[in-house]
Amino acid sequence: MSAENTLKTPILVLGATSLIGTFLMQRLQADGHEPMGLSRRPPGGDACWIDADLKADDLAEQLPGAATVFSLSPIWLLPVVLPLLKARGMKRLVAFSSTSRFTKQDSPEASERAVAKALADAEAAVEAFCAEHGVAWTILRPTLIYAEGRDGNVSRLAGLIRRFKVLPLSGSGDGLRQPVHADDLAAGAIAAASAPAAFDRSYALVGGETLPYREMARRVFEGLGRRPAILVLPPWLFGLLLTLARPFFPGATAAMGARMSQDLAFDSADAVRDFGWAPRDFRPRF
């Protein structure tokens, strides 16, 4: 997924210590750039770090000038800081949202519906601001993000497998998934930022394979060097177990079990066409 070195500099990365942000900073540096990373918890090192919070009252005093901005922070934090970024010279914006905008909009859980609405509202605000102020924007919506040992999706499954040796599924677990690696997303963001075809467009970014949830779980077992031990349960029994397991599975909801049999698949053909999106297959190694 190579892209010409056409990024406008300086480059600012918001949420630079997030899962994708860590890989993005590394890739930008490897490409010879000197990105500035904004984070509430800057790690130090040889990058230029800005210790700041997007919700801070004094953010205007801390923001550096930047022509290209990558936003890895929750997209609903972005609209209020866009005027400050524009005033500091922003001409190109690549912002991450999520396919949860669509998959959770009709969830039985009010909290999940609220997330979907927040994503949709923020995307609309970003698009409107950029169109009015001449900023070329791209919104990227990943599917199920993972990075071995570091994410809250696939790695959480791995943690449950380590603890309990067996993984229960609600129903047949045949709902389709497209896990996508955070490092591929970082590469995709750079490619999109460099591609005029991606200006003023939104994309779903899916992994290299579309798998039933059950097969995705089997691959996690394999990535741990374990023989798959998957327990298919009736939805009512899975719901009971989920309630008991919540201390080990923060954020678990009843809707999670129901989604195991729902297809959450998207198409990235336009990303392949416009900036060469080419993610890896799902073969995690822990």
Side-chain angles (χ1 to χ4, degrees):
M1 196 190 310
S2 62
E4 295 182 9
N5 191 6
T6 56
L7 290 180
K8 291 182 170 61
T9 57
I11 298 169
L12 175 64
V13 179
L14 308 179
T17 53
S18 65
L19 189 59
I20 304 170
T22 302
F23 288 105
L24 180 60
M25 291 290 287
Q26 293 171 354
R27 282 186 170 270
L28 287 169
Q29 289 179 293
D31 288 346
H33 297 293
E34 297 179 354
M36 298 171 288
L38 186 146
S39 174
R40 292 177 298 170
R41 296 177 296 277
D46 56 357
C48 176
W49 291 99
I50 301 149
D51 185 355
D53 188 329
L54 290 182
K55 295 183 286 187
D57 293 335
D58 61 348
L59 181 63
E61 303 167 13
Q62 302 179 69
L63 274 180
T68 299
V69 176
F70 292 93
S71 176
L72 289 307
S73 300
I75 194 171
W76 49 76
L77 299 179
L78 188 55
V80 295
V81 301
L82 288 175
L84 299 178
L85 294 168
K86 175 61 179 175
R88 296 292 189 276
M90 178 178 65
K91 302 181 185 304
R92 182 76 176 99
L93 172 66
V94 177
F96 277 85
S97 182
S98 171
T99 53
S100 293
R101 169 185 172 171
F102 305 109
T103 60
K104 294 182 178 179
Q105 62 184 356
D106 297 318
S107 169
E109 298 286 337
S111 60
E112 293 186 347
R113 294 196 304 273
V115 167
K117 184 177 187 305
L119 291 168
D121 290 349
E123 286 187 18
V126 167
E127 293 177 22
F129 178 91
C130 290
E132 182 178 351
H133 294 89
V135 176
W137 60 270
T138 302
I139 292 175
L140 304 177
R141 304 185 187 108
T143 48
L144 187 71
I145 305 171
Y146 75 98
E148 291 89 339
R150 300 169 60 182
D151 66 280
N153 299 311
V154 170
S155 296
R156 182 178 288 182
L157 287 181
L160 290 173
I161 291 167
R162 285 193 183 102
R163 179 179 291 270
F164 298 110
K165 318 302 183 195
V166 64
L167 186 67
L169 295 188
S170 177
S172 61
D174 57 359
L176 297 179
R177 295 295 185 274
Q178 298 164 313
V180 58
H181 200 285
D183 188 36
D184 291 339
L185 293 169
I190 295 171
S194 305
F199 288 7
D200 304 336
R201 289 181 58 90
S202 300
Y203 300 90
L205 294 187
V206 310
E209 293 185 275
T210 300
L211 306 167
Y213 193 100
R214 183 170 181 166
E215 174 62 17
M216 182 182 74
R218 191 181 71 81
R219 300 274 185 95
V220 176
F221 274 96
E222 291 179 350
L224 289 164
R226 296 173 183 262
R227 179 172 299 190
I230 296 172
L231 184 62
V232 176
L233 299 175
W236 68 267
L237 181 55
F238 179 88
L240 177 61
L241 286 179
L242 190 64
T243 300
L244 298 175
R246 276 181 180 166
F248 309 104
F249 206 174
T253 67
M256 294 175 63
R259 276 199 294 272
M260 287 182 183
S261 297
Q262 296 174 359
D263 291 343
L264 306 181
F266 293 83
D267 186 1
S268 285
D270 51 355
V272 174
R273 178 197 66 216
D274 290 349
F275 53 92
W277 175 243
R280 71 195 70 180
D281 289 346
F282 183 62
R283 299 284 179 182
R285 291 294 177 265
F286 296 91

